[in-house]
Amino acid sequence: MKAILNIKTSIIAAAGCCLMSASGIALSVSCGDTISTPEVLDTDISNCAASPAITIMGPTGSLDLNGFSLSCDGLAGTGILLEGTTAVLINSQASSGIISSCDIGISVEGSGLHNVIGVTTQENGSLGMSVSSSRNIVSGSINDFNFGNGIIVLGDWNSFFEVSATSNGEGGIIISGDNNQVFQSTARNNTFSGIAIQDANYTNIILNTTSSNNEYGISVSNFGQVGNFVTGNTAESNDIDDLFDDNTPACVGTTWYGNIFSSSNDTCIN
């Protein structure tokens, strides 16, 4: 619970930073720009052929999509790249804020400590979002209907809160870095697993809902991981198993506790 409160505090602080920029004078943001100051999008950016379409350079750069959307030029390149440290990407409006038709919708790179809040990735070729740096916070992000995976996490110490990864052509949320956390998120109707812990250690998967995925609701691959904790999740109506631990024997390195589910591959999962 303390971790969740800390995440919420960081999210509010980051959102306040970006929303304050709306009261200032915002320069026009165009295809191919690198942003190093607080900016607010004032129109859609469509069919951008540059890759990345927009780069947000921290620590001074931030972008509020402000309900507008960005599309790439036909499933190629990266939509928005977060570089440096403590860059912020936010959609302050309740609707739209969609990044689409890129190879990767959002790529979170650099030194980390970035914030991505309330942004949607949709119909991107390989990935909705890639997180390769560390200590980032992603909140309220919708990563649905991408042709590949919804989210791939390669970096360490990242937190995901109330994100969605639904109806993607491959997996929902794929975790390969260490010490990552996924709280109160949703992964439904994906072609593979809803949430997959691959070569990852000390990962917390808590209070999420994973249902109607074509393989598993939550799965742990056979990499001999240690310190993973999967608790309080609801996993139902997944095609193979709701909960699946591929290590031999199962549950070595992963604690499964207090989950709601109908099927699993081992009695040690609970």
Side-chain angles (χ1 to χ4, degrees):
M1 185 62 67
K2 182 177 179 182
I4 294 174
L5 290 174
N6 288 338
I7 291 171
K8 287 184 175 179
T9 300
S10 297
I11 291 166
I12 291 168
C17 166
C18 286
L19 291 175
M20 285 185 355
S21 71
S23 62
I25 298 174
L27 300 176
S28 178
V29 178
S30 302
C31 170
D33 281 355
T34 295
I35 296 169
S36 57
T37 55
E39 305 290 350
V40 180
L41 203 62
D42 58 5
T43 186
D44 291 335
I45 297 176
S46 301
N47 301 314
C48 181
S51 180
I54 295 175
T55 299
I56 306 173
M57 183 63 68
T60 54
S62 65
L63 178 63
D64 181 355
L65 295 180
N66 192 33
F68 293 100
S69 295
L70 178 150
S71 64
C72 295
D73 185 18
L75 302 180
T78 297
I80 296 183
L81 169 65
L82 280 72
E83 267 287 8
T85 184
T86 62
V88 177
L89 172 63
I90 185 172
N91 178 41
S92 62
Q93 302 301 313
S95 61
S96 198
I98 298 171
I99 301 168
S100 63
S101 300
C102 309
D103 184 47
I104 300 173
I106 301 170
S107 187
V108 184
E109 302 181 19
S111 300
L113 293 170
H114 305 301
N115 286 268
V116 178
I117 306 168
V119 180
T120 297
T121 68
Q122 181 176 298
E123 297 181 351
N124 295 287
S126 297
L127 284 170
M129 183 185 304
S130 171
V131 180
S132 57
S133 56
S134 298
R135 299 184 185 277
N136 305 290
I137 294 175
V138 178
S139 173
S141 175
I142 299 172
N143 303 272
D144 299 349
F145 301 103
N146 295 288
F147 299 114
N149 293 293
I151 301 172
I152 283 186
V153 186
L154 302 173
D156 304 327
W157 297 101
N158 297 289
S159 295
F160 298 82
F161 182 68
E162 291 185 348
V163 304
S164 172
T166 294
S167 299
N168 293 290
E170 296 182 10
I173 303 172
I174 314 301
I175 303 172
S176 293
D178 295 337
N179 293 286
N180 292 290
Q181 305 176 75
V182 182
F183 295 102
Q184 296 182 8
S185 296
T186 302
R188 295 190 176 105
N189 298 309
N190 297 288
T191 299
F192 302 140
S193 294
I195 300 175
I197 302 173
Q198 293 191 340
D199 191 7
N201 303 296
Y202 305 105
T203 298
N204 293 321
I205 308 298
I206 301 174
L207 297 174
N208 303 287
T209 299
T210 62
S211 61
S212 301
N213 296 286
N214 289 2
E215 290 189 349
Y216 310 108
I218 302 173
S219 63
V220 176
S221 299
N222 185 10
F223 287 103
Q225 307 95 322
V226 296
N228 295 315
F229 194 59
V230 182
T231 185
N233 303 283
T234 298
E236 296 178 324
S237 301
N238 298 284
D239 285 359
I240 300 178
D241 277 316
D242 294 324
L243 304 177
F244 180 81
D245 192 327
D246 197 34
N247 280 305
T248 304
C251 301
V252 172
T254 299
T255 299
W256 303 79
Y257 179 76
N259 300 288
I260 299 171
F261 62 100
S262 297
S263 63
S264 69
N265 70 314
D266 199 285
T267 57
C268 66
I269 296 174
N270 59 65

